[in-house]
Amino acid sequence: MSWATAWRIARRDLNARFRGLRLLLVCLFLGTGALAAIGSLTAAIEGEIEANGREYLGGDLQVELWQRSLDETERAALEEYGEVSAGTRMQAMARYDDQAAPIELKAIDAAYPLYGTLTLADGRAVGAPAPDEAWLSQGAADRLGVAPGDSIAIGTETLRVGGIIADEPDRLGEGFQLGPTIIVAEELPARAGLIAPGSMYQSKTRVRFAQARDAADVEEALEDRFPEAGFDIDIADRAAPGTDRFVDRMSEFLTLVGLAALVIAGIGIGGGVTSYLDARRQGIATLKILGASSGDIARIYALQIVAAALVGSLAGIAVGVAAVPLLARALEGLLPVSSGVVIDPGALLLALAYGMLVALVFAAPPLLRARQFPAMALMRARVAPLARDPQALLLVGGGLAAIVALALLTAENPLLSGGFLGGVAAVLGLLALLGWGIRKVAASLPRPQSPVARNALANLHRPGSSTGALVTALGFGLAAFVLLAAVQSAIDGNIAKRVPDRAPDYFVLDIPRDQVTEFETLVREADPDANWRTVPALRGAVLAFGPEGAMTRTSTLEDIPDGAWALRGERGLTYADHLPEGNELTEGEWWGPFYGGEPLVSIDADFAEAAGLEVGDMLTFGILGVERTARIASLRRIDWESLGFNYVFVLSPNAISDAPHNLAATVELSPGTPTGPLLQALVAALPSASVIEVGGVLEQARTILEQVGLATLAAASVAVLAGLAVLLGAIAAARAARTYDTVVLRVLGADRRQILLMQLIEYSALAAALALVALGIGSLAAWLVVTQLFEFDWLPDWSVVLAVLGLGIGVVLAFALGASLPLLRAKPAQALRAL
């Protein structure tokens, strides 16, 4: 039989509404839809960053430095490559009448912007404001209650509001901010008394290349030319590194969830195809009587399944593409993505390939078994299952190999994807072993006195029982419920822990050392019971680290080790006589007050482990262009959730106290004390200091974590739906045998209530046996997602997890009984005539 003839027969036999194959369509629709949406959204974000990288960064290349600007030699080196624009970023306070607000002060020169257009709300395209003017973001204007033409004070200077910013082209590249933006002229911070030796500010110098260059080569040349300058260099391809990392992590997680949903749904596909082909026994037998060979049978029904799989996959892809604008709108303000429809051929083809491969793998075994339907089946229905076809192993093995290869070749992190696929295989093996064990245990148990319970127990181990498929279905379904609850509650736990209620009311930055007494007096007058803590605040980069005499220069590292993030760029430094509050020594000793020996440093224990450092090793810091070397005296465990001043590096005072620096402070007022009067007093008395209200920072952190939680909730919901689809597939696959059992029981006098009770006992026994296994599998998967992928703390609410598991058992049982209801509608006379 030719393929054309086979297709003609297949098309005539294929119901226009795909009756019998709807489960296959639903399973593929879920999996490919999730993958298409994830791939398209990721491609949209990456495309947006790539297309607008120079605009987001503000140049082809950017050099950042803390507490200093480029010197003449360094600036001249940048000018060799093209046009240069320099500016300053720092925290400051803006005042209007009795209103004060922490702001992100952005000082720019006449060359800004090198790329893009700075646009005001009135439609003007502008550059740097006049020396006595400022451009305000809408947030800053709202906080201060000002409009164009009003006057505000920053430091010791009074500025006129020249306009409200509508579009700041490099906003994304500026990163996280502790207040709304105000843009001023380049010289304003120094003129307003905000910049002095020790002030905490960041200079940003951008270059627009005069001719086409490889930015990575320029970056390497600058690092080689100025290896100890402490440059933190970004290029247009890394315009928003924090966003890139977030997108990569979320993409990896969501892709794995989509692939998991597809693989889980594949089991449902196998059950659905088995059920569909069982219903076609007579048609297959008729074709054989008319001369069709086993190969012809496989060809006809393979074409039907491919057609259904293609329709389901394409429908899923269409919905996935249509969902991208909705996802973009939900992520607006968090990620750079346009709200239009995005069609990425690579992502869509990958989703389609996964869908078709999964359909092939899981449909092959029942399809090959269908070739063995004997012509005698035309005369009498068969209840006993057909033997397995060894050829199915070859097709399934090849399909699985193709899925694994595709996943590894297209993964950003092949190791993670490989581990995930290995985990899925291990879970499938565990559930198969558990299904075998349940059948053995059920067969060895004493027979209950109740005929309903006896038959329910027999259903678990009788020949041809669907226990193995049901164990897989229930296991995945319940594990998906646990995964959803554990991830969501762990993220909620991180919100509660990382955004605690016991945080200080204010952070105060850049307190001049000669005004610390005035600062303490103001706090005491505002609230005699207030708690405050002041610490020296410096910035520095780790230039070298390791054993004495064999130190590694940070600039020579190809990649920063995982967990050793403090080696990347400049970090906060401080010094102290005593162990800081909230810190615990894990190794070594503290130097104590009045120490005057060799310069020492205490470092975070987790960082030490990641960087391979031990007590006695050395660290060299670059501080304002000067190298300072200290020996590691101790390792500390830090309470990062305290939201106080926590430093990876705390040095002995004699190591860095002579470097220019100011102080930073936290202020915690007693309950019920109004915060406004202290804020006004600090702003008036310390114009060069910056007072940050912690509430706004916590709200930003809470919003970001809640958005992450929403994304994981949506992704885990897909896994839950896939698990339920598997359950329906398992029930559908056993429908023929169960129909026969139901008819026989009804002939013997069983009523509908007893049959439903029998099903309930069977499924309840399986669910109870699987509850602990599902709890373990789901919890392990959630732990990997939360701690390894998102790098959050593992803080699930076990009461919520157990409650959701109980709810999941209820939902699963409801679905199982609902899918069993059609068995009760089988007419005994009609079924018996076919025996």
Side-chain angles (χ1 to χ4, degrees):
M1 184 183 298
S2 67
W3 282 100
T5 304
W7 170 240
R8 189 161 57 251
I9 297 173
R11 189 178 69 249
R12 289 173 179 173
D13 185 50
L14 193 62
N15 188 280
R17 286 182 279 179
F18 292 98
R19 183 169 298 166
L21 287 174
R22 290 174 188 169
L23 184 61
L24 180 145
L25 266 71
V26 169
C27 290
L28 288 176
F29 174 84
L30 286 171
T32 55
L35 288 173
I38 294 161
S40 298
L41 180 65
T42 303
I45 296 170
E46 292 174 347
E48 192 82 10
I49 293 175
E50 183 178 352
N52 301 300
R54 291 178 175 83
E55 191 171 310
Y56 292 149
L57 184 66
D60 292 290
L61 178 141
Q62 174 181 271
V63 177
E64 297 178 352
L65 284 170
W66 279 94
Q67 296 183 283
R68 75 177 183 91
S69 301
L70 296 181
D71 61 30
E72 292 182 3
T73 303
E74 293 164 342
R75 182 175 177 114
L78 289 186
E79 289 175 343
E80 295 174 7
Y81 297 103
E83 185 180 5
V84 172
S85 173
T88 303
R89 311 291 185 270
M90 66 186 309
Q91 292 299 129
M93 298 297 296
R95 306 185 303 279
Y96 175 72
D97 290 341
D98 60 348
Q99 296 293 318
I103 61 163
E104 178 88 5
L105 190 65
K106 179 174 179 175
I108 59 175
D109 63 8
Y112 177 93
L114 296 178
Y115 286 99
T117 304
L118 176 60
T119 308
L120 300 182
D122 59 13
R124 284 183 292 158
V126 297
D132 61 346
E133 261 190 334
W135 313 134
L136 274 64
S137 67
Q138 188 63 57
D142 292 343
R143 287 289 301 275
L144 295 170
V146 298
D150 292 335
S151 293
I152 62 172
I154 298 177
T156 59
E157 292 292 307
T158 299
L159 305 172
R160 185 177 64 86
V161 178
I164 306 300
I165 302 168
D167 183 22
E168 183 185 354
D170 56 344
R171 176 63 264 159
L172 182 68
E174 298 288 7
F176 184 79
Q177 61 183 29
L178 295 175
T181 301
I182 292 182
I183 298 179
V184 297
E186 183 181 17
E187 67 276 6
L188 185 281
R191 198 174 75 234
L194 301 178
I195 290 183
S199 296
M200 196 62 65
Y201 67 94
Q202 186 179 36
S203 68
K204 291 191 176 185
T205 308
R206 285 121 175 220
V207 185
R208 177 171 182 155
F209 294 153
Q211 59 188 30
R213 294 180 182 275
D214 187 326
D217 291 343
V218 176
E219 177 184 15
E220 185 177 352
L222 289 172
E223 289 174 342
D224 291 343
R225 188 169 175 178
F226 305 101
E228 311 303 337
F231 287 173
D232 187 358
I233 300 177
D234 289 317
I235 59 177
D237 290 344
R238 302 194 306 270
T243 300
D244 280 340
R245 284 193 294 273
F246 178 77
V247 170
D248 288 344
R249 294 288 173 87
M250 283 302 297
S251 175
E252 285 174 3
F253 167 65
L254 294 175
T255 298
L256 292 180
V257 169
L259 190 55
L262 201 54
V263 171
I264 294 170
I267 304 169
I269 290 171
V273 171
T274 298
S275 176
Y276 175 74
L277 294 175
D278 274 340
R280 294 291 187 276
R281 283 176 181 263
Q282 291 191 355
I284 294 171
T286 301
L287 288 171
K288 283 199 168 185
I289 289 174
L290 296 175
S293 66
S294 296
D296 295 333
I297 300 299
R299 192 174 295 123
I300 291 168
Y301 288 97
L303 286 171
Q304 289 187 359
I305 291 166
V306 167
L310 197 58
V311 168
S313 298
L314 292 176
I317 288 171
V319 171
V321 170
V324 171
L326 300 177
L327 295 172
R329 194 169 294 113
L331 296 171
E332 191 174 3
L334 177 65
L335 295 173
V337 56
S338 60
S339 58
V341 173
V342 177
I343 297 178
D344 181 77
L348 302 186
L349 286 174
L350 183 63
L352 180 62
Y354 274 129
M356 298 307 291
L357 280 172
V358 167
L360 167 69
V361 167
F362 290 96
L367 186 61
L368 291 175
R369 285 201 301 272
R371 300 183 309 164
Q372 302 174 21
F373 286 156
M376 188 181 298
L378 178 63
M379 309 302 173
R380 176 164 298 186
R382 289 171 48 101
V383 174
L386 295 167
R388 299 184 182 276
D389 192 325
Q391 291 185 27
L393 294 176
L394 185 61
L395 273 175
V396 171
L400 289 175
I403 292 173
V404 171
L406 196 59
L408 296 180
L409 289 173
T410 58
E412 291 286 338
N413 188 337
L415 187 62
L416 178 67
S417 297
F420 165 77
L421 292 172
V424 170
V427 169
L428 285 172
L430 174 64
L431 291 175
L433 183 63
L434 187 63
W436 176 84
I438 288 175
R439 286 196 299 270
K440 292 296 183 183
V441 170
S444 63
L445 288 175
R447 299 177 69 185
Q449 300 255 338
S450 166
V452 173
R454 188 163 59 247
N455 277 282
L457 182 64
N459 277 342
L460 295 176
H461 63 82
R462 63 175 173 75
S465 73
S466 57
T467 299
L470 287 172
V471 164
T472 303
L474 288 168
F476 269 118
L478 294 176
F481 275 100
V482 172
L483 171 69
L484 183 149
V487 170
Q488 190 64 35
S489 66
I491 290 176
D492 290 342
N494 275 270
I495 292 175
K497 185 177 181 182
R498 296 189 178 202
V499 190
D501 294 330
R502 61 186 177 91
D505 294 284
Y506 292 114
F507 286 118
V508 187
L509 308 178
D510 273 333
I511 304 171
R513 282 186 285 175
D514 59 1
Q515 290 186 282
V516 64
T517 302
E518 186 175 358
F519 162 77
E520 292 176 344
T521 300
L522 291 171
V523 174
R524 194 178 296 110
E525 289 176 350
D527 180 8
D529 297 322
N531 292 318
W532 68 88
R533 175 188 171 202
T534 58
V535 297
L538 299 90
R539 299 287 297 190
V542 177
L543 303 181
F545 62 97
E548 186 174 11
M551 297 175 70
T552 300
R553 302 298 292 187
T554 307
S555 58
T556 64
L557 294 177
E558 291 282 337
D559 295 300
I560 300 298
D562 288 341
W565 50 269
L567 296 176
R568 187 182 292 110
E570 293 195 336
R571 297 293 162 187
L573 305 176
T574 192
Y575 58 86
D577 284 325
H578 302 281
L579 181 68
E581 182 182 349
N583 288 221
E584 177 187 354
L585 281 184
T586 60
E587 189 177 342
E589 297 181 354
W590 199 260
W591 42 82
F594 310 113
Y595 174 77
E598 178 186 21
L600 300 176
V601 61
S602 176
I603 66 175
D604 174 49
D606 292 335
F607 166 75
E609 182 180 358
L613 292 170
E614 300 176 350
V615 171
D617 288 345
M618 310 294 287
L619 284 171
T620 296
F621 300 94
I623 304 174
L624 295 173
V626 179
E627 290 192 12
R628 308 286 182 109
T629 299
R631 186 179 300 278
I632 298 174
S634 62
L635 308 182
R636 292 170 292 122
R637 189 75 62 197
I638 301 173
D639 178 15
W640 292 104
E641 283 73 36
S642 67
L643 279 190
F645 287 112
N646 294 310
Y647 288 86
V648 174
F649 306 110
V650 178
L651 291 95
S652 58
N654 65 331
I656 58 172
S657 61
D658 59 330
H661 65 279
N662 288 329
L663 302 179
T666 58
V667 179
E668 185 176 352
L669 301 176
S670 56
T673 302
T675 58
L678 176 59
L679 175 64
Q680 300 300 328
L682 290 173
V683 171
L686 305 172
S688 64
S690 177
V691 185
I692 300 170
E693 295 175 278
V694 176
V697 179
L698 301 187
E699 191 58 37
Q700 288 187 62
R702 185 177 289 110
T703 298
I704 291 172
L705 287 173
E706 285 174 350
Q707 286 176 308
V708 173
L710 183 62
T712 57
L713 177 65
S717 298
V718 175
V720 169
L721 291 174
L724 294 176
V726 172
L727 176 63
L728 295 178
I731 294 172
R735 183 163 295 165
R738 292 203 177 248
T739 300
Y740 170 74
D741 292 345
T742 301
V743 166
V744 171
L745 288 170
R746 289 185 64 187
V747 168
L748 294 175
D751 58 28
R752 293 172 183 267
R753 184 190 63 82
Q754 289 174 317
I755 292 173
L756 277 179
L757 182 59
M758 189 188 311
Q759 301 281 344
L760 180 62
I761 293 172
E762 178 186 352
Y763 291 132
S764 297
L766 286 175
L770 286 168
L772 287 177
V773 175
L775 183 63
I777 293 172
S779 299
L780 177 61
W783 177 83
L784 290 171
V785 169
V786 171
T787 63
Q788 304 303 304
L789 201 56
F790 291 154
E791 297 182 357
F792 290 168
D793 293 332
W794 177 235
L795 299 170
D797 185 333
W798 290 109
S799 63
V800 172
V801 173
L802 293 175
V804 171
L805 177 59
L807 175 65
I809 290 174
V811 170
V812 163
L813 291 178
F815 267 82
L817 291 177
S820 301
L821 289 177
L823 301 178
L824 301 178
R825 293 196 293 267
K827 297 179 179 179
Q830 182 179 352
L832 290 173
R833 277 198 298 270
L835 291 176

